Amino acid sequence: MEETPAHLAARPSWLLTQVAVHAHRLAAEGFGGVGARGYHYRVLAALDEFGVASQAELGRRVSMDRSDVVATVNELAGGGYVERTPDPDDRRRNRVSLTAEGRRRLRRMDRVLDGVQDELLEPLSAEERRTLTDLLTRLLTHHQRT
């Protein structure tokens, strides 16, 4: 940070952006090590927590563009991690569900992401990590409403 202009280094928006770059890199490397991507984690996590969903619902829940959801579901279905079936109420819509293999895949990705969190937040105590998470959650919640 010694070569960073003070005008930038004093701005939370700049700091958040710089940390986000590192977080993204660490997550991409971690997931890449197990042949996965961040989008895979988002979709598997949503299905695990909320159950069967349409592709449109998945996109809304995890903030993904429709075309990215389709490509991700295709990749996950190809690996046997999700199953796509026609919606009985609307045959034009697909319903996506998590398979047992997908649940195992998610647990493996959880362990990878836990390691990423530890590496990213290494200089912070457990209490500081909770505080940071609480503050970021508050900011995100506020801006999602606007």
Side-chain angles (χ1 to χ4, degrees), residues 7 27 40 65 73 84 90 103 105 109-110 128 132 134:
H7 288 278
H40 296 168
D65 182 77
V73 168
R84 185 182 323 154
D90 182 350
R103 196 164 279 107
R105 179 72 159 170
M109 293 177 78
D110 276 334
E128 289 170 326
L132 176 63
D134 290 346

Side-chain angles (χ1 to χ4, degrees), residues 8 12-14 22 34-35 37 45-46 51 67 72 77 96 103 112 132 139:
L8 293 175
S13 57
W14 187 84
H22 291 287
V34 295
R37 298 185 307 118
S67 63
T72 300
V96 182
R103 196 164 279 107
V112 167
L132 176 63
L139 284 170

Side-chain angles (χ1 to χ4, degrees), residues 64-89:
M64 284 174 61
D65 182 77
R66 181 179 310 188
S67 63
D68 291 328
V69 172
V70 170
T72 300
V73 168
N74 286 343
E75 291 168 4
L76 292 170
Y81 305 120
V82 301
E83 185 176 80
R84 185 182 323 154
T85 56
D87 186 326
D89 297 328

Side-chain angles (χ1 to χ4, degrees), residues 22-23 26-31 111-121:
H22 291 287
L26 291 170
E29 288 172 0
F31 287 149
R111 289 189 298 275
V112 167
L113 199 52
D114 288 345
V116 167
Q117 303 308 299
D118 287 341
E119 186 174 349
L120 180 68
L121 303 174

Side-chain angles (χ1 to χ4, degrees), residues 9-57:
R11 308 281 183 200
S13 57
W14 187 84
L15 293 168
L16 285 168
T17 302
Q18 298 309 302
V19 172
V21 167
H22 291 287
H24 187 269
R25 178 184 53 80
L26 291 170
E29 288 172 0
F31 287 149
V34 295
R37 298 185 307 118
Y39 279 172
H40 296 168
Y41 185 80
R42 289 186 196 188
V43 168
L44 293 174
L47 291 171
D48 186 56
E49 185 166 339
F50 301 111
V52 178
S54 71
Q55 292 176 170
E57 289 169 323

